[in-house]
Amino acid sequence: MGKVLIIGAGGVSRVTTHKCAQVPEVFEEITLASRTKARCDEIAAELPREIRTEQVDADNVQETVALIKDVQPDLVMNLALPYQDLSIMDACLETGVDYLDTANYEPPEEAKFEYKWQWAYQDRFRKAGLMALLGSGFDPGVTNVFTAYAAKHHLDRVDYLDILDCNAGDHGLPFATNFNPEINIREVTAEGRYFEEGEWKATPPLSQTWDYDFPEVGVRRAYLMYHEELESLVRHIPSIKRARFWMTFSENYLKHLEVIQNLGLDGIEPIDFQGCEIVPLQFLKKLLPDPASLGPRTKGKTCIGCLVRGEKDGAEKQVFIYNTCDHQEAFRETGAQAVSYTTGVPAMVGAMMMLRNTWRGEGVFNMEQLDPDPFLEALGKHGLPWKVIE
């Protein structure tokens, strides 16, 4: 049915490539490309079918354009770093190919992520007759779709939204991040933000907490953070009065994070070290365990869901729509832990929706703008079953 070019060869890409290879009737041809071709070859060797691998510097638009012209895919799946979103979108526009990613753009020189840069591509993609699907991961991604599903099937009006992300996995190491350390630490150390009564309100980093009883996991302390899907959800579901995002962290993680901040190792401004210019956070990334190495040793589950409250038939109603994912089961299937699995599977499902023309449009789209039903049906079939608690 279609040809895809997957850019990036980290843990999420490993999962997505495995899952695409399992559905040959949709993903007829797969090309996997990254700055380091050896990582692509490693993933390719694990698969039950042959795929093509290539080297590409996704920061270089013309190099990406040349690869797209050579591969001639129907869809480019950007699973590289969020710093590279715009350059890959530019390459897709130049070559006339649809685009998908899992995380919104973040400028390398500023610890800030928002959709304005990618939403600015709306007219160019629309005029080109192309579709760009933003944030087809879990959060953002599935959480957007969960909210849209609640609005379609459970509530006449959505008033309050709390997105809750719990990783109860244990890798046994003193300190490690479950995805790219540079992105993870920038995200966690940023000030919290939430939407309430038409305006954004800021909080000091990790200053607000909520002890929540997660299904199949138990009570865990969650911390209020800013997360990109809040921005698109309050835009596309304007009835929302308040939207917040919460994520759990262990005391051990927070203790190490405090030391990292106190030492300045989370800095993103270059410093001079013995005549060389280094970025402290990038140096720290080199010292920390590769998230891809955590799969064999991580045990436990993730639980991510949306607590949605509003009105149904004139009465107040609340639902919690969620998924739980076991780290060891994810590793046995794809060689990656559950954090990568819960992002990689929705990337494949989003691509499937586009290649089948189940989701189709011209312009730039967030996940909640599209019909949630076929996406969630496919999500359950391909490894991430979900439940609703009223």
Side-chain angles (χ1 to χ4, degrees):
M1 181 178 291
K3 298 167 62 175
V4 293
L5 168 60
I6 302 172
I7 298 178
V12 172
S13 178
R14 177 186 299 275
V15 174
T16 300
T17 307
H18 271 264
K19 301 302 284 192
C20 288
Q22 293 173 13
V23 196
E25 65 273 19
V26 175
F27 301 94
E28 294 172 335
E29 295 183 31
I30 302 168
T31 300
L32 178 61
S34 175
R35 194 185 303 269
T36 307
K37 185 175 180 293
R39 297 189 72 170
C40 301
D41 295 335
E42 178 185 326
I43 294 171
E46 301 168 357
L47 303 176
R49 53 184 278 211
E50 187 174 340
I51 69 167
R52 175 179 171 181
T53 60
E54 295 289 345
Q55 190 276 332
V56 69
D57 177 1
D59 290 315
N60 186 319
V61 174
Q62 291 310 308
E63 189 173 319
T64 308
V65 165
L67 177 61
I68 294 173
K69 287 181 176 179
D70 183 46
V71 174
Q72 296 187 346
D74 300 295
L75 172 66
V76 172
M77 303 178 68
N78 170 17
L79 305 183
L81 294 174
Y83 311 140
Q84 297 163 325
D85 288 1
L86 303 188
S87 60
I88 297 176
M89 291 179 81
D90 287 335
C92 286
L93 282 169
E94 188 167 334
T95 53
V97 179
D98 288 338
Y99 169 90
L100 174 150
D101 67 31
T102 61
N104 73 357
Y105 176 70
E106 182 176 343
E109 69 282 355
E110 184 182 9
K112 184 177 184 179
F113 51 99
E114 55 184 306
Y115 276 117
K116 69 177 182 182
W117 292 284
Q118 290 181 280
W119 282 344
Y121 279 71
Q122 169 68 24
D123 288 344
R124 279 176 281 174
F125 269 82
R126 182 179 53 79
K127 290 175 182 177
L130 299 175
M131 181 176 183
L133 182 62
L134 308 184
S136 189
F138 206 105
D139 45 352
V142 175
T143 51
N144 302 60
V145 180
F146 280 167
T147 306
Y149 184 85
K152 180 178 179 179
H153 295 286
H154 291 279
L155 298 168
D156 299 323
R157 187 188 69 241
V158 174
D159 292 331
Y160 300 99
L161 169 66
D162 284 290
I163 299 171
L164 293 126
D165 182 329
C166 171
N167 177 18
D170 182 8
H171 47 60
L173 296 173
F175 182 82
T177 62
N178 290 296
F179 58 94
N180 184 287
E182 188 177 350
I183 303 299
N184 178 267
I185 291 172
R186 282 172 63 140
E187 181 178 294
V188 173
T189 55
E191 71 174 11
R193 274 205 306 156
Y194 65 96
F195 181 84
E196 188 170 42
E197 298 296 350
E199 63 181 17
W200 292 98
K201 300 182 179 181
T203 64
L206 308 180
S207 61
Q208 292 196 19
T209 64
W210 185 4
D211 291 343
Y212 190 80
D213 190 357
F214 290 87
E216 301 180 45
V217 169
V219 177
R220 293 290 190 278
R221 176 155 295 180
Y223 297 80
L224 187 143
M225 298 172 53
Y226 176 69
H227 227 243
E228 60 216 73
E229 65 263 46
L230 298 180
E231 183 183 16
S232 71
L233 282 164
V234 299
R235 174 174 176 164
H236 296 129
I237 306 179
S239 66
I240 293 177
K241 297 177 182 177
R242 187 185 66 209
R244 303 179 297 188
F245 181 94
W246 307 83
M247 184 174 283
T248 65
F249 303 100
S250 69
E251 290 298 322
N252 181 65
Y253 178 94
L254 295 176
K255 183 192 304 178
H256 281 80
L257 187 65
E258 182 181 5
V259 173
I260 287 168
Q261 291 180 281
N262 288 341
L263 295 175
L265 287 171
D266 62 330
I268 61 174
E269 295 296 328
I271 63 170
D272 180 78
F273 176 72
Q274 297 182 351
C276 297
E277 199 174 72
I278 66 168
V279 175
L281 184 53
Q282 293 178 358
F283 174 72
L284 177 64
K285 176 183 174 181
K286 289 292 185 182
L287 297 177
L288 293 175
D290 182 349
S293 70
L294 301 178
R297 58 186 307 135
T298 305
K299 297 178 174 61
K301 292 183 178 183
T302 63
C303 179
I304 312 173
C306 295
L307 188 66
V308 191
R309 179 158 57 99
E311 185 179 283
K312 179 68 173 178
D313 298 329
E316 185 176 292
K317 182 179 179 181
Q318 178 171 275
V319 295
F320 185 55
I321 309 176
Y322 71 97
N323 160 267
T324 57
C325 185
D326 186 279
H327 284 285
Q328 288 295 293
E329 289 180 8
F331 179 75
R332 280 192 290 271
E333 182 187 351
T334 63
Q337 34 86 350
V339 174
S340 295
Y341 191 88
T342 54
T343 305
V345 174
M348 181 277 286
V349 175
M352 177 187 292
M353 295 295 102
M354 294 176 70
L355 291 172
R356 285 178 168 169
N357 289 319
T358 305
W359 281 1
R360 181 49 49 190
E362 296 176 354
V364 174
F365 294 86
N366 294 97
M367 303 283 279
E368 67 274 10
Q369 294 177 268
L370 302 153
D371 185 1
D373 293 358
F375 180 93
L376 289 179
E377 181 183 2
L379 188 74
K381 288 180 179 177
H382 292 281
L384 291 176
W386 48 279
K387 299 176 182 177
V388 181
I389 299 175
E390 293 197 10

